[in-house]
Amino acid sequence: AMTTPVLSDRAEPVGWRTRLFMPGKWTAATLPPPPDGIAIVELAPRRAAAVRFSGRADDRTLGRKERALRRWLEGQGLRAAGPAEYASYSGPSVPAPMRHNEVLIPVA
């Protein structure tokens, strides 16, 4: 079964990096070894601001939503603690108007 959300971010110089979440019952030690090119990493808890939107998560929309979220953070006196990430909660077969997406920015 697919896990949600699927997170993507720009990982220079290679382009995009995609991350999947595993259920809490699994750990890096209990998961099967991944194939070459895939790493299992446990992430520490963190705080993030998010803006939710529907539709296609293309570069133009992601950029527009990210800029709006950064303006909102600034207006709230909050400081970004890392690059933006993009979360997709719907599979590719879901019609674009019904897709659930988010732009997330970690907050200091």
Side-chain angles (χ1 to χ4, degrees):
M2 185 70 183
T3 60
T4 59
V6 173
L7 283 182
S8 300
D9 63 359
R10 295 186 190 277
E12 296 301 330
V14 296
W16 287 92
R17 173 177 61 172
T18 300
R19 291 186 275 168
L20 305 173
F21 289 90
M22 299 306 299
K25 68 180 181 178
W26 296 96
T27 67
T30 60
L31 286 167
D36 288 342
I38 296 177
I40 296 174
V41 178
E42 291 187 48
L43 300 176
R46 63 193 174 133
R47 298 181 92 176
V51 61
R52 179 180 177 172
F53 65 98
S54 60
R56 295 195 183 279
D58 57 23
D59 285 344
R60 182 176 164 195
T61 302
L62 292 173
R64 191 174 74 244
K65 296 295 182 180
E66 181 181 341
R67 286 188 298 278
L69 184 55
R70 288 187 184 282
R71 282 192 302 271
W72 182 85
L73 284 171
E74 198 172 289
Q76 300 299 309
L78 298 171
R79 188 174 52 85
E85 296 175 306
Y86 311 105
S88 300
Y89 291 84
S90 308
S93 63
V94 175
M98 298 174 68
R99 291 183 188 170
H100 170 189
N101 306 294
E102 292 176 344
V103 173
L104 300 113
I105 298 176
V107 179

